């Protein structure tokens, strides 16, 4: 079993829809949680960064962390065709000497105009 | 452009050949990371540097792989005696001084024939 599980999709939604993307994880030691967006043939781009359980909002994006359930989510409001990309969750311990991110496999999102 | 720069963008090589990739991080970032990503998967951590010191290596980094960051600025990743299984996108990333955010380059796509 992978440490971080993510539904690969593809997820297809109409423009303007609310999108919900999710990851589950098995290691309760993970402390920091991120969401990256990756366009085809590009490197991942950081969207959201959270530490504690709860919600964090940035524009149309809301990241949610539930450490008790080992479950994180990313919500995209008013989705746009330009949001079509692969969304990767990532997490880390951030202990001294251990800084590697563990990524999910990514969810491919298609927003239809 | 002040982002993370990787060169070359694409590399095609024959099995058994050696290849070397270069990464130029964002100038004020003293931590630099190498990841590998295959199709349909999230990036997998390979190694990271703090300044010129290599502080962590993944078990994915076999003895055919070597990374250097000689003066704490740019880094190189060399793969010796390439195998078809080495075909992947090799991503470099650098981290903000506060250690919260990782910025990725566009990657080097390696194809081993």
């Amino acid at each position: 079993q992978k440490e971080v599980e993510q539904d690969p999709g593809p997820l297809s939604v109409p423009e303007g829809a609310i999108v919900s993307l999710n990851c589950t994880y098995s290691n309760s030691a993970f402390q920091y949680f991120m969401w990256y967006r990756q366009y085809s043939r590009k490197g991942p781009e950081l969207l959201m960064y959270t530490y504690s359980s709860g919600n964090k909002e940035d524009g149309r994006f809301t990241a949610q962390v539930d450490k008790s359930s080992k479950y994180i989510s990313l919500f995209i409001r008013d989705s746009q065709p330009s949001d079509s990309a692969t969304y990767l969750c990532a997490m880390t311990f951030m202990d001294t000497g251990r800084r590697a991110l563990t990524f999910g496999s990514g969810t491919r999102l298609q927003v239809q105009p | 452009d002040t982002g993370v720069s990787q060169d070359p963008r694409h590399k095609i090589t024959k099995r058994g050949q050696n290849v070397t990739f270069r990464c130029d991080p964002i100038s004020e970032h003293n931590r630099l990371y190498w990841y590998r990503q295959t199709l349909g998967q999230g990036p997998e951590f390979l190694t990271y540097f703090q300044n010129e010191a290599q502080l962590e290596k993944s078990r994915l980094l076999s003895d055919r792989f070597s990374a250097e960051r000689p003066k704490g600025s740019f880094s190189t990743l060399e793969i010796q005696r390439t195998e078809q299984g080495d075909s992947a996108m090799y991503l470099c990333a650098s981290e903000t001084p506060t250690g919260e955010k990782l910025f990725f380059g566009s990657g080097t796509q390696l194809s081993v024939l």
Side-chain angles (χ1 to χ4, degrees):
Chain A
Q1 186 187 2
K2 291 183 178 180
E3 276 192 293
V4 180
E5 297 279 357
Q6 189 174 6
D7 188 329
L11 181 62
S12 184
V13 301
E15 184 175 354
I18 296 175
V19 175
S20 172
L21 304 164
N22 311 295
C23 285
T24 59
Y25 61 96
S26 56
N27 192 334
S28 58
F30 284 129
Q31 300 171 296
Y32 295 83
F33 305 90
M34 301 111 196
W35 285 95
Y36 283 83
R37 177 175 62 195
Q38 187 172 28
Y39 292 113
S40 181
R41 292 185 292 277
K42 295 285 189 182
E45 171 194 8
L46 181 64
L47 284 176
M48 299 288 286
Y49 174 96
T50 57
Y51 170 67
S52 57
S53 282
N55 292 356
K56 181 177 180 180
E57 191 173 317
D58 185 1
R60 296 185 296 112
F61 299 94
T62 300
Q64 194 172 76
V65 174
D66 182 348
K67 289 186 177 179
S68 62
S69 301
K70 301 194 192 70
Y71 188 87
I72 67 171
S73 300
L74 178 71
F75 298 96
I76 307 174
R77 289 183 299 280
D78 187 25
S79 56
Q80 303 294 310
S82 58
D83 294 328
S84 298
T86 295
Y87 289 79
L88 297 154
C89 63
M91 46 200 78
T92 186
F93 310 103
M94 208 61 85
D95 291 341
T96 300
R98 297 193 65 189
R99 306 189 70 87
L101 291 181
T102 300
F103 281 85
S105 56
T107 299
R108 194 154 55 92
L109 172 66
Q110 191 85 21
V111 181
Q112 305 291 344
Chain B
D1 187 341
T2 57
V4 177
S5 177
Q6 291 191 247
D7 183 68
R9 288 295 313 276
H10 304 276
K11 179 71 178 178
I12 299 173
T13 191
K14 292 183 179 178
R15 190 174 52 187
Q17 298 294 304
N18 299 345
V19 293
T20 300
F21 312 138
R22 177 182 170 121
C23 172
D24 286 89
I26 295 170
S27 58
E28 63 268 25
H29 293 182
N30 62 356
R31 291 193 193 95
L32 182 151
Y33 297 75
W34 287 98
Y35 283 79
R36 180 175 72 182
Q37 186 176 25
T38 54
L39 199 62
Q41 299 300 315
E44 294 175 294
F45 170 76
L46 293 177
T47 188
Y48 97 89
F49 293 83
Q50 179 155 324
N51 300 314
E52 65 275 8
Q54 189 173 17
L55 295 186
E56 189 178 350
K57 289 196 284 188
S58 162
R59 62 181 182 276
L60 291 175
L61 211 68
S62 76
D63 56 6
R64 295 186 298 106
F65 288 70
S66 63
E68 293 183 343
R69 195 181 181 198
K71 295 183 179 179
S73 55
F74 74 91
S75 175
T76 59
L77 177 68
E78 181 183 17
I79 309 175
Q80 295 183 326
R81 306 181 302 282
T82 52
E83 301 173 355
Q84 287 186 323
D86 297 331
S87 296
M89 171 83 86
Y90 289 83
L91 291 161
C92 176
S94 66
E95 187 176 45
T96 54
T98 52
E100 293 180 346
K101 298 179 182 178
L102 212 56
F103 292 86
F104 283 86
S106 291
T108 295
Q109 182 65 53
L110 173 66
S111 298
V112 182
L113 305 178

